[in-house]
Amino acid sequence: MGQSLTIRNLDAWYGDNQTLKGINMEISANQVTAIIGPSGCGKSTFVRCINRMHDTLPGARATGEILLDGESIYAKDPVELRRTVGMVFQKPNPFPAMSIYDNVVAGLKLNGIRNREKLRTAAEKSLRMAALWEEVNQRLNYSGMSLSGGQQQRLCIARALAVEPSVLLMDEPASALDPIATLRIEELILELKKDYTIVIVTHNMQQAARIADSTAFFLNGELIEHGPTSEIFMNPKDKRTEDYITGRFG
Amino acid sequence: MKGRLRKYRNAMMLGIFLLFTLLALVPLFGVLGYVVKNGISALNFDFFTSLPKPMGVSGGGMANAIVGTLILIGIAGLLGIPTGILAAIYLTEYDRVSWLSTAVRFTTDVLTGIPSIIIGIVVYTALVVKAGNFSAFAGGVALAIIMVPLVIRSTEEMLKLVPQTIREAGYALGIPRWRTILRIVLPTAAKGILTGAMLAVARAAGETAPLLFTALGNQYWSHSLNEPIAALPLQIYQYATSPYKDWHSQAWAGSLVLILLVVILSFIARLAFRSRKNF
Amino acid sequence: MKQNRVKESIGDTILRLLTLLMAVSVVGLIIWVGWQMFASAQESIHTFGWSFVTNRVWDPVKQNFGALPFIYGTIVTSVLALVIAGPIGLGVAIFLNEMAPAKVRSVISFLVELLAAIPSVVYGLWGIFVLAPLLRDHVEPWLAKWFGFLPLFQGSPMGLGMLAGGLILAIMILPTIAAISREVMAAVPDSQREAALALGATKWEMVRIAVLAYAKSGILGGVILGLGRALGETMAVTMVIGNRPDILPSVFAPAYSMAAVIANEFTEATYNLYLSSLVEIGLILFGITLVLNAFARLLVWSVARGPKGGHLV
């Protein structure tokens, strides 16, 4: 099951450059939350704070509080945390030296799970959830790089699902894909929200409108407005949100 | 009129560069041609299976030297390749920009220019004098020192080619950093790293000077790594500078085998790199 | 407000420290090499002082050791090599980088790399049996006939001598000079070339104005790296230089190089002062090549940041 997130007073920096300013936000479990905003507004930094990937970059730091079902993520080991909070990146990034199968079970294997039966089951389950099983079950030993871009991205989703996270962060997961592959990813996201809390960064407002239950608009590192998607798009409270979704800037 | 002069000068300079390039290739074909011609006529089955014969006695081979060279580059590879790869991991994965990594890179580059005979002297004073005898091990250490900077530089280049997103994908799966490096980043660059390592091995295989006072050479089989050991370059050197005709032709044959060994090693390395279709 | 830094796991600490150790050991290695040599050369340094580098006598029987003949032989052969290989190496680099079509380029650059892959001892063998007789019977008599008025080309043709050493070295350092020059020339932005061509420059003028002017310090670096390699090259020189500790003006004459005397006499040095003197020659060689390489690398880095490992160089 998905877990909820509570973000309190989150600030983030790259060196001297503050990229997030005092973010306060509630993210409900088993919902799709879209993060929208012009490029450079801090949306990527925001999701990277949730699984503490932000901290891994040299010169980057974050302060504030993020609670996962009421528990501070900073109380956890960041490596442990990332098994609970999975992530899918902008460009598909399967491990080039691994087969399709090894890609899916990489997170399990490299965390010490050796039982073949268990790995096999997990691989099939994750690939099915990522709607990729039918396409690849005959060639699990092929390189992950042999797949098309859209398949690669679903492989990356399967890889993230295999470690059984409760939250899935997606940083513009369809921006490198063609419209048909994008559609498949969107259908998949709607399927997955039954079991996961999904936070998706997107620069595509139609996409947010199609799949998100709630939408948050970021601008210059600040959270301007967050609410049910229909409200944000039909009836924004803030002038800046309205300007953005009507295409007047950004 | 001035334009015409410029055109002539242009054609002349371009002609000179072409000529220089052809000139540079003359010694290559000269050396390879003689080695192949003189080497093949002296090569026979015995050459690969027999020990050297005493002075003045014809026949014999370099079996012990061929095996010796393989043992020496084996020791050198075992010591030098992991050391070089680990140092390169530090430079790409842990510390790309500090003064320390700049110093390490700089020293690595400088180290490739230190004459190999100097390495021989130092390994002699540090290992041979202390142990009281010349040994295969000391020879291997000397060759490893020659290999390390080459392995560091090539490995570093290859690790730099691994996209950052591959590392992030590992972290995002909750895989600890060290495992991400060893199990994901290294395998991704494996073919390129192997290429660099093979080229370093090929280079070490042809080295003579660092072996003169370490491995020393041996007319017989060595029975332990703690004994002097024969090596192809040493044997070629000894035979080439001797007054015997028979040994001269053996030296040519040895050179042919040595060049084949070096070329095959580099060629395998290159092929491995070409077949790389990852990232 | 608290700082949320990532803590390190044990596995990470181990790998980081292990790789750090290996990286630092490279720096340690070069210091250790210098220190070892310095320590072993002490006896010679104390006995002879500065006269070691000015003394032209090398007599193990009388325990009188001077390094001048070796320094002389090393410098003459290396300078010869540089005079020959410098322009040719640069020419190869210009041809490959600026003139040759892609297919020709890959074939020729492979061949030039192959030149670097041939072991030194094989060059020596070829030098003894092919190059030296050729010099003795054809080249040296010809040089003596036409340029004999110069002391450089006087004396009887011997074959084995400084000319043979210089030529062999030229062949061996050519790939280094060509490869480094190519690397720095490849770092010249195409906009520079286009700017020159747009001014109506011919190809050669473009190379001269845009490429060479831009890359000259890096090319100088490559030439100095070649020089460093020539100074320290051991086997091929040992085999063709003639191995006589004399200082003669003619390049036909046999001589001795620093690396060669170490190679030949190190295992025969029967007493400490003898060995120590040989090590001191090594120490001088180490010092010179260290300084040259450091200087050259700085020059190359200044043009092409972060030089490649230079696989066969």
Side-chain angles (χ1 to χ4, degrees), chain B residues 34-190:
Chain B
Y34 273 96
V35 168
V36 171
K37 191 185 106 205
N38 295 342
I40 281 185
S41 58
L43 264 190
N44 51 33
F45 187 66
D46 264 4
F47 185 85
F48 294 97
T49 55
S50 309
L51 286 178
K53 285 275 193 300
M55 268 177 219
V57 182
S58 67
M62 291 197 186
N64 60 337
I66 296 171
V67 173
T69 281
L70 294 178
I71 291 175
L72 284 167
I73 58 177
I75 300 172
L78 283 178
L79 295 172
I81 294 173
T83 308
I85 291 177
L86 285 170
I89 288 177
Y90 181 78
L91 294 179
T92 49
E93 306 301 314
Y94 286 106
D95 179 8
R96 281 197 184 197
V97 287
S98 80
W99 64 270
L100 178 66
S101 53
T102 307
V104 171
R105 274 188 201 103
F106 187 67
T107 320
T108 307
D109 277 355
V110 170
L111 200 58
T112 55
I114 297 301
S116 55
I117 191 146
I118 304 281
I119 307 299
I121 296 179
V122 173
V123 173
Y124 171 85
T125 51
L127 288 183
V128 177
V129 173
K130 295 252 160 62
N133 60 298
F134 299 98
S135 67
F137 179 69
V141 170
L143 293 184
I145 293 177
I146 308 237
M147 285 173 59
V148 165
L150 303 174
V151 175
I152 293 179
R153 285 317 243 153
S154 59
T155 305
E156 196 196 348
E157 291 300 322
M158 290 306 130
L159 289 177
K160 271 199 217 151
L161 289 179
V162 176
Q164 201 57 31
T165 56
I166 296 294
R167 298 180 179 87
E168 295 202 324
Y171 303 151
L173 289 173
I175 301 168
R177 190 174 187 182
W178 65 280
R179 278 212 174 131
T180 305
I181 293 170
L182 294 182
R183 300 287 300 276
I184 295 171
V185 178
L186 271 190
T188 302

Side-chain angles (χ1 to χ4, degrees), chain A residues 14-26:
Chain A
Y14 284 112
D16 294 331
N17 186 14
Q18 186 166 6
T19 47
L20 287 179
K21 296 166 194 160
I23 307 292
N24 284 287
M25 192 171 163
E26 294 284 338

Side-chain angles (χ1 to χ4, degrees), chain B residues 72 115-140 142 207-217 228-229 234 237, chain C residues 37 234-235 238 258-269 275 278-279 282 285:
Chain B
L72 284 167
S116 55
I117 191 146
I118 304 281
I119 307 299
I121 296 179
V122 173
V123 173
Y124 171 85
T125 51
L127 288 183
V128 177
V129 173
K130 295 252 160 62
N133 60 298
F134 299 98
S135 67
F137 179 69
E207 283 285 347
T208 319
L211 299 179
L212 289 170
F213 339 126
T214 52
L216 190 69
I229 193 168
L234 288 173
Y237 174 54
Chain C
M37 307 261 302
T234 309
M235 298 320 295
T238 307
M258 298 164 82
V261 71
I262 300 170
N264 274 328
E265 301 188 10
F266 200 80
T267 48
E268 291 161 13
L275 195 70
L278 286 168
V279 176
L285 190 58

Side-chain angles (χ1 to χ4, degrees), chain A residues 52 55 60-63 74, chain C residues 1-7:
Chain A
R52 299 190 63 184
D55 309 17
R61 65 202 168 90
T63 62
Y74 293 112
Chain C
M1 287 242 237
K2 66 179 194 257
Q3 288 276 320
N4 299 313
R5 294 302 312 174
V6 176
K7 275 204 208 79

